[in-house]
Amino acid sequence: MIQKIVKRKTMLKGLLSLSAASIVIAAPLSVVSCEKISYNDGFFDRPVNWYSPFNSKTGSSDAFANDACSILWDEEQELFYSWMLFRDGKGFPSGWIEMTSPDLNTWTQGKYRVKHGSEFENINNQKNQTSALGGSVWVDTKGQFFDQGDVVFVISMQPSKILTNNGSEEIGKESNIESKKVTTKNDYTTDESGIAYFVSHGLGQDFYTSGVLSKECLNKDGTLDWRDTAVFETDDGVYFAISAHDRLEFWKINHFGNKPKNEGTEKITKVSELFVRNIGVEVPNVVRVDNNLWYVSASVQDNPFGGPFQSAWWTLCEWDKKDGFIPVYNVNGKYERYDMNKLQNRQAAYEVKKEQPHAKVIDWSKSEKYKDLINPWTPNEYGTEGYAQRVVNPYQTQLQKAIDAKKAEETIKYDEFLIARSMTSNWAYNTDIWSWKGGTYGSERIQWNKDRTALEFLPNDKIAGYSDNGTAVYYLKGENLEEGYTLKFDGKNFTFKLEFDENKKNGKVTWNNQLNTGLKKWTNQGGPTEQSDEIIIVWNKSTLTFYNRTKNWNAHFMLPQGTTHTKNENAKSIV
């Protein structure tokens, strides 16, 4: 039997006033096991307010992390908790490392929270080791499935055996919930893209129970793409979004199979899906931004066919208990639902693919029959190689409690902003993707405008007067790019230019980089831009980000480690 730990009460108090600050980050010695550690190996001149984990065994840079997921605020500890996919070294297996922060900028590496050999293991000692994949973390505020306030990790897995109690006992031998005997060990194994769960009595606590939410991949389109869960709670239940090759699917969690009364009933039930693109859809995000208004996004990757990445397509939706998420559009400050029959969908995409058999990404405009179907998604990120974007409300637990208590003022306070973080962070520069030191927490802030009629995307960092700290920030207008706006890095030009079509309409930004980065995969243009648009360009050591605040898109670029910059006029800096 697993001994149940003493539950720590999680206090959920008021929202603290936060501001970004000048940060010096050091890995705590408590997370490593060696006697002598050197952090000066040339890899850790990281961008300001970004973090890359250290090897949990040696404290060196020989570690890899990506795909940051949820952020949850613990008011009793006054800490934000977050997690990233993590591995010691370049190889597999990978699990989840835990991070904490008092302010969303200063991050400290903590426990290897979901680890091969501790929380999960190979099946039948097969040669190829298993790994935990993407997922999310949710707090059971009402005690719907576990004890009230329990923290629930819901994670996509490669073929795995789910363990508990530091790997010394397979939970399949005997469940520690209500002493219910389990006779089938297969109930505690997953196939490729199955879903496991792990539960603790509070943030930062060890798991006291675990299990399997879905043993197998439930995407039946033949691709076996079905992963990266994003758990969310509506007024009528708890659900998760999951990517499925060309779409996002939405499933209701009926139960976790941890109580006798659940035996013989389905743990999860599919509600709906939203088509995104015919290939490369990954990493869903679902975040409530108003009473029944939701930010829904997906990573849209060109990596499956060797192209440059373009991630984070987003849309706003309303939730319907029967039909799931329905995309909406703004009409004079009010949101109207799209007619779902007029949106691009999977069945139509299959037909267009038949018309364009050699196209990796189908071109809807070339299909006479389907060209008028509506694409409700807006691309947010452009640029170089990178990972997907995660978008979260760090106060989602407090927001849910305010909604449950019908406290309107607190509801508005807790949905004030979202944090979006890109996984590209490559300050340990190397064109071999497995050598990237994957940290995250280079944050973008998503917030309502003053009239609360549209979302704005902008840097989360505090910007002030220029200082020689390896950063430079430029506030511009679209018109400043018409003749080309050039930044010099290592003496080479990186130029952004606003271009129009032959009718002087449909403006867009293109870029030309003469800096030798070694990257093979690049995009060369971003989203729509007009002369009056607000532009923010941020150089942060080995990263460069271009924001069009007005049109809500950015382009992210990785620069070589140690890049120098010759500042332009009116430069500011990250504090």
Side-chain angles (χ1 to χ4, degrees):
M1 292 289 291
I2 308 303
Q3 186 175 4
K4 187 174 182 179
I5 65 173
V6 177
K7 182 175 181 182
R8 178 182 59 77
K9 184 179 179 182
T10 301
M11 303 289 290
L12 301 173
K13 304 174 184 176
L15 176 65
L16 296 183
S17 176
L18 301 173
S19 63
S22 179
I23 302 301
V24 177
I25 305 175
L29 295 180
S30 60
V31 304
V32 296
S33 58
C34 58
E35 294 182 2
K36 185 177 181 180
I37 303 170
S38 173
Y39 301 117
N40 300 317
D41 56 4
F43 287 116
F44 290 111
D45 184 25
R46 61 177 68 81
V48 175
N49 295 342
W50 291 42
Y51 185 83
S52 180
F54 296 88
N55 187 297
S56 68
K57 298 175 182 177
T58 67
S60 73
S61 65
D62 186 22
F64 179 82
N66 72 304
D67 200 10
C69 69
S70 309
I71 301 179
L72 298 176
W73 170 245
D74 187 304
E75 290 176 295
E76 186 177 67
Q77 301 180 75
E78 297 188 353
L79 284 175
F80 294 96
Y81 277 79
S82 190
W83 302 266
M84 287 186 281
L85 291 187
F86 174 84
R87 65 184 71 104
D88 287 318
K90 300 178 184 178
F92 290 85
S94 63
W96 280 25
I97 198 77
E98 187 166 87
M99 313 287 292
T100 56
S101 170
D103 60 6
L104 294 177
N105 279 325
T106 314
W107 290 93
T108 300
Q109 181 170 330
K111 184 172 181 178
Y112 201 156
R113 181 59 65 189
V114 180
K115 185 178 181 180
H116 179 264
S118 177
E119 280 66 47
F120 63 98
E121 185 57 90
N122 301 346
I123 296 177
N124 300 324
N125 296 315
Q126 80 269 30
K127 183 177 180 180
N128 295 323
Q129 291 182 318
T130 185
S131 286
L133 302 175
S136 56
V137 185
W138 167 79
V139 176
D140 192 351
T141 57
K142 296 190 283 287
Q144 299 175 69
F145 304 110
F146 301 98
D147 290 346
Q148 187 173 3
D150 277 3
V151 179
V152 186
F153 292 62
V154 181
I155 304 176
S156 294
M157 304 291 296
Q158 291 183 321
S160 302
K161 179 169 61 176
I162 306 305
L163 306 176
T164 189
N165 197 23
N166 294 321
S168 62
E169 178 179 348
E170 183 188 347
I171 198 170
K173 292 181 179 178
E174 183 173 288
S175 173
N176 63 323
I177 294 186
E178 301 185 22
S179 298
K180 177 179 179 292
K181 296 287 184 180
V182 179
T183 57
T184 305
K185 287 186 179 181
N186 283 340
D187 289 345
Y188 296 90
T189 60
T190 68
D191 296 335
E192 184 69 38
S193 294
I195 303 173
Y197 66 86
F198 306 89
V199 187
S200 65
H201 287 315
L203 291 165
Q205 302 298 308
D206 291 336
F207 299 126
Y208 75 90
T209 190
S210 54
V212 173
L213 192 60
S214 175
K215 177 179 174 59
E216 61 184 350
C217 168
L218 296 181
N219 177 7
K220 304 304 182 183
D221 66 7
T223 64
L224 293 179
D225 291 338
W226 199 68
R227 62 178 188 176
D228 301 329
T229 59
V231 177
F232 62 97
E233 185 172 354
T234 73
D235 295 340
D236 54 73
V238 180
Y239 300 79
F240 66 85
I242 193 166
S243 62
H245 184 63
D246 56 8
R247 63 198 181 278
L248 298 184
E249 295 183 346
F250 307 98
W251 293 70
K252 183 172 185 179
I253 300 177
N254 301 314
H255 60 84
F256 285 83
N258 56 320
K259 298 177 181 179
K261 66 179 181 180
N262 302 142
E263 189 170 359
T265 60
E266 294 290 340
K267 296 178 183 177
I268 59 176
T269 305
K270 185 178 176 182
V271 177
S272 65
E273 64 182 53
L274 284 177
F275 176 84
V276 184
R277 194 182 73 168
N278 70 293
I279 190 173
V281 178
E282 300 178 358
V283 188
N285 300 287
V286 177
V287 195
R288 190 195 296 254
V289 294
D290 210 334
N291 182 39
N292 187 26
L293 191 65
W294 300 76
Y295 175 99
V296 180
S297 72
S299 164
V300 180
Q301 305 283 19
D302 291 351
N303 187 46
F305 49 89
F309 289 176
Q310 174 180 291
S311 63
W313 290 19
W314 67 280
T315 187
L316 292 177
C317 295
E318 291 182 350
W319 175 259
D320 182 273
K321 181 178 180 180
K322 178 182 177 182
D323 298 322
F325 280 121
I326 300 174
V328 297
Y329 58 97
N330 194 320
V331 180
N332 299 322
K334 295 184 178 180
Y335 289 97
E336 302 286 343
R337 293 185 176 187
Y338 282 106
D339 181 343
M340 296 294 285
N341 294 319
K342 295 182 179 180
L343 298 185
Q344 293 174 0
N345 58 78
R346 185 164 36 132
Q347 290 70 31
Y350 291 159
E351 295 302 315
V352 177
K353 181 63 177 176
K354 292 177 182 177
E355 299 171 5
Q356 304 169 23
H358 302 296
K360 298 294 185 181
V361 178
I362 60 175
D363 186 342
W364 291 86
S365 67
K366 294 180 179 179
S367 172
E368 284 299 319
K369 184 175 181 180
Y370 297 106
K371 65 181 179 181
D372 293 327
L373 290 180
I374 298 169
N375 176 10
W377 301 93
T378 300
N380 170 228
E381 284 196 340
Y382 302 80
T384 62
E385 292 184 80
Y387 294 103
Q389 185 189 68
R390 280 293 195 182
V391 181
V392 299
N393 180 345
Y395 303 101
Q396 64 176 1
T397 303
Q398 288 78 5
L399 174 60
Q400 188 59 51
K401 289 177 71 68
I403 291 171
D404 294 341
K406 295 180 171 56
K407 295 181 178 179
E409 290 184 4
E410 289 192 13
T411 298
I412 293 175
K413 176 172 63 177
Y414 289 131
D415 71 1
E416 186 175 16
F417 69 94
L418 312 179
I419 292 293
R421 291 159 302 156
S422 304
M423 293 340 124
T424 44
S425 38
N426 179 31
W427 47 89
Y429 202 85
N430 193 307
T431 55
D432 173 7
I433 188 171
W434 299 112
S435 296
W436 295 356
K437 308 305 164 203
T440 58
Y441 308 113
S443 297
E444 181 180 19
R445 185 183 182 96
I446 302 175
Q447 63 186 30
W448 287 107
N449 63 7
K450 292 181 180 179
D451 299 327
R452 208 175 172 84
T453 56
L455 294 176
E456 295 182 328
F457 296 66
L458 64 161
N460 188 52
D461 300 294
K462 182 178 179 180
I463 311 298
Y466 181 79
S467 61
D468 187 14
N469 65 351
T471 72
V473 181
Y474 301 96
Y475 289 87
L476 307 166
K477 291 286 189 178
E479 62 188 9
N480 299 130
L481 312 180
E482 287 191 80
E483 301 300 321
Y485 185 83
T486 297
L487 299 168
K488 283 193 175 292
F489 298 105
D490 295 342
K492 304 295 179 61
N493 292 342
F494 199 127
T495 302
F496 295 95
K497 185 176 178 58
L498 175 58
E499 298 181 355
F500 296 92
D501 61 20
E502 61 275 9
N503 298 315
K504 300 296 182 181
K505 296 182 178 180
N506 300 317
K508 64 181 179 182
V509 171
T510 63
W511 45 80
N512 179 19
N513 173 41
Q514 296 178 8
L515 181 66
N516 181 19
T517 64
L519 280 175
K520 298 177 180 178
K521 302 174 185 178
W522 281 81
T523 57
N524 57 19
Q525 67 180 46
T529 301
E530 297 177 21
Q531 293 167 311
S532 60
D533 288 354
E534 292 185 51
I535 306 298
I536 307 172
I537 301 178
V538 180
W539 169 61
N540 191 353
K541 297 190 177 181
S542 54
T543 68
L544 180 68
T545 307
F546 179 103
Y547 294 92
N548 184 324
R549 179 175 179 174
T550 306
K551 295 292 193 300
N552 291 336
W553 63 266
N554 70 54
H556 184 88
F557 310 94
M558 291 171 289
L559 307 176
Q561 182 76 12
T563 294
T564 61
H565 170 55
T566 304
K567 73 169 184 173
N568 289 354
E569 285 187 299
N570 301 318
K572 298 182 181 297
S573 285
I574 296 173
V575 177

